[in-house]
Amino acid sequence: MFFAVLIFLSAIFAMTLGVPDAAFPQGDEIMHIRSIRESLDAGSYTLPILSGLPNPYKPPLLFWMGMFFDKIFGVSYFSERLVSFLFGLGTLTLFYKLYQSISQSVKETKLATLAFAFSFLSLKFFGLLMMEGAMVFFTLLYVYLFYRSKKENNLTYVAWGSFFVGFGYLLKGPILHIYILLFLFSYLYIKMLRVRKGHFQVSFRPLKVEKPTLLLFSLSFLVPILWISYLYLFTSSGKELLRFFFITENMGKFYAANQSGLRIWAGWLLYTIPFTIPLIHITWISIRKPSKQKNQIWSIVVMVFLLSVTIFHLMPNRKDPYYVTPFIAFLFLLPALKKETWETLILSKYNQYSIPIFYFLFVIIAILLRLPALFAISLLGIIITVGALLTLQNERFRFYGIFLPQLILVPITMFFLIRPMADPDTAKQLTGIQSKEICVITENPWTAMDIQNRIKDSKVSFALPLTYRDTCPNADIMVTFAETTLSEDWVKDSSWFQWKQHLNLDSNQILRSLLKMDKRSFQSEVSVWKRGENK
C-alpha cells in the first residue's frame, strides 16, 4: 500500500514537470535547458554548447542525459526535467534501503521516506533540470555503499561507490570528490580519536585498516581522467575550457568573500522545510546526548561530516543556500542513527504547536490575497491540527493529525499559493508571433534564453536597452522587460505585468502597498512592440 501511494504521488508530481514556470524556479535551469537544445540543434552531442560556443561552466553529464530524453520523448520541459525526477526516485530508493538497514523498523522507514520526499529539497530539485538532484543521489550512493561495505565486510561495495563518484565529476567537477573525502575524513577522525579518562588519544591503526578503502578511492578518478584527456587531446578548445573551468569557475570562487556566510546556515533551515523543527530537535539530541548504542559512531560521523561540508562552503566567495542540498538526506537519517521515533519528534512541544500556527498564517495570506482555495484548505488544516492537539487519549490520531498536515505544507504552498499568484505564461502572451525574429530587451540575458526555450520556432536575440538598434536591426518584434525608449517606427501591440525579482521599495512603501492591495508596486510591465507607423 505504501509503495502504491508513493508511485501515485510521484506520477502526480511528474505531471507538473512539463509546466515551464516551476513553482520553485532556479535561474541556472534556463541556461541548462538552453545548452541542451542548442547542442541538439547544432548536432554537438559530445561537447555541449551555449550561445554557439562550448559550454565552459559545467561538465556534460546532465546535458547528455537531457539530450537523450529529448531524443526519445521530443524536445520539451518534461523530457529534460525527467532527468532530475529519475535521480529523485533513485535517491528515495537509496534512502529507504539505508534507513531500514539502520533502524530495522519498516514503519519508521516509511515515515522518514515520506518526510524526505515531501521536503522542500525534494519537491524543488527533483523537478528542475539542475545538478543538485543528481548530487544528492551520488553523495548518498557512496555513503550507502560504504555502509554496506562495513556492515558486510565486503570491499566490492566501496569499490563500486568510488567508481560511481567518477560519474559525479561529470556533473559539477571535483566538488563531489571533495565531499566524499570529507566524509572519509570524518569517519577516520572518529575512529582515530578517542577520549580516555579525560585525555585525547590518537590511534593510527584505523589508517591501516582503512587503507584498502582509501586506495580504492583512486577508482573515482578514472572517468574524470578520460574526460579531461578527451578535452585536452581531441578538441580544439579543450585547453581553454579546462583552464576556464578549473581556474575561473572553481578556484576563482575562493578569490574573495562577497556573500554572507549566513546564507549557508539559512540553507539548512530552508531546504529541510517543513520538518526543520524536528530535525533541529534530533540534531540537538545528537550533540547533547551521546550514547553507547551500536550506531553511535555513525551518528557522530554524520555530525562531523555535516559540520565539515558547512565549513568548506563558508570559504568560497559564493555562498548560495542550495549548496547544502547534497547533505539534507543525512539529517533525515539521524532519527534512525539515534533510535528516536518520528512520533516523538513530530509530537515535540515546539513542533506540534507550530503546525496550526502555519495554517493560521495561510488563512491570513489567503484573505489578504483573496485566494479562496487556500483559505478553505488552510481552515481545514486548522481544524484537524487543533483537534489533534486536543485529543489526549488517541495517540495515533494525535500523531497523524499533526504529521499529515505538516507533510503537505510545501505542496499547499506550490498549488494553492504560488500557482494562483504566478506570472502569466510568456509563451501564451506571445501567441501568434512564432517563426518571427524577436528581440528581447532586458538587463539579464537569461530572460532572452527563457523566451527562446518557451518559443522554439522563433529566433530570439538579447539586447541591452541602449544597444537594441545595433543588436537587433532586423527584428520583427520587440519585447521590453526593461524601461526602453524605442524609435517612432515601433508600435506597442500588447503588454502584461509580472512580479519584480528585485524591489526598490523601503519597508514603509511595502506596507502601504499591502494595505492598499496595490500589487502594481511589486510588478513591472512587459511590452510587446511591432514595426509599423505610429497612429
Side-chain angles (χ1 to χ4, degrees), residues 47 49 53 65 93 140 193 205 242 293 298 300 304 364 384 390 401 407-408 437 470 499 501 511 516:
L47 191 60
I49 61 175
L53 298 172
M65 297 183 70
T93 302
L140 190 61
L193 194 66
R205 185 175 179 277
L242 292 171
Q293 63 192 20
W298 287 102
I300 299 176
V304 173
I364 295 175
I384 293 174
L390 296 177
L407 198 70
I408 61 173
E437 187 172 337
D470 299 323
W499 301 106
Q501 292 184 347
L511 181 59
K516 294 179 180 179

Side-chain angles (χ1 to χ4, degrees), residues 257-268 309-321 323-324:
N258 61 6
Q259 290 180 327
S260 171
L262 293 176
R263 291 164 60 87
I264 294 296
W265 296 105
W268 290 111
V309 294
T310 301
I311 293 172
F312 171 75
H313 277 299
L314 288 173
M315 293 190 293
N317 55 11
R318 286 194 62 190
K319 301 177 178 66
D320 284 317
Y323 287 173
V324 303

Side-chain angles (χ1 to χ4, degrees), residues 156-281:
T156 303
Y157 289 109
V158 80
W160 278 109
S162 298
F163 178 69
F164 284 125
V165 169
F167 287 95
Y169 170 88
L170 295 179
L171 286 167
K172 296 184 74 172
I175 188 69
L176 182 62
H177 285 74
I178 295 174
Y179 294 160
I180 302 306
L181 286 173
L182 287 174
F183 171 77
L184 293 174
F185 162 79
S186 302
Y187 183 81
L188 287 172
Y189 172 80
I190 298 304
K191 283 286 188 177
M192 293 171 64
L193 194 66
R194 292 285 186 269
V195 179
R196 295 287 186 271
K197 298 180 180 180
H199 297 284
F200 286 103
Q201 296 179 357
V202 179
S203 171
F204 291 97
R205 185 175 179 277
L207 279 176
K208 183 179 180 180
V209 174
E210 300 301 331
K211 184 179 178 180
T213 298
L214 298 176
L215 290 176
L216 285 170
F217 188 69
S218 61
L219 293 173
S220 67
F221 296 101
L222 290 177
V223 174
I225 288 172
L226 289 173
W227 176 245
I228 292 171
S229 299
Y230 170 78
L231 289 178
Y232 191 85
L233 298 174
F234 300 105
T235 61
S236 58
S237 56
K239 295 178 183 179
E240 289 74 17
L241 287 173
L242 292 171
R243 185 183 299 112
F244 178 89
F245 179 70
F246 284 110
I247 297 177
T248 305
E249 178 69 7
N250 285 278
M251 294 179 63
K253 291 181 178 179
F254 292 86
Y255 178 69
N258 61 6
Q259 290 180 327
S260 171
L262 293 176
R263 291 164 60 87
I264 294 296
W265 296 105
W268 290 111
L269 302 178
L270 177 64
Y271 290 108
T272 51
I273 291 174
F275 295 100
T276 306
I277 294 176
L279 293 180
I280 290 175
H281 185 187

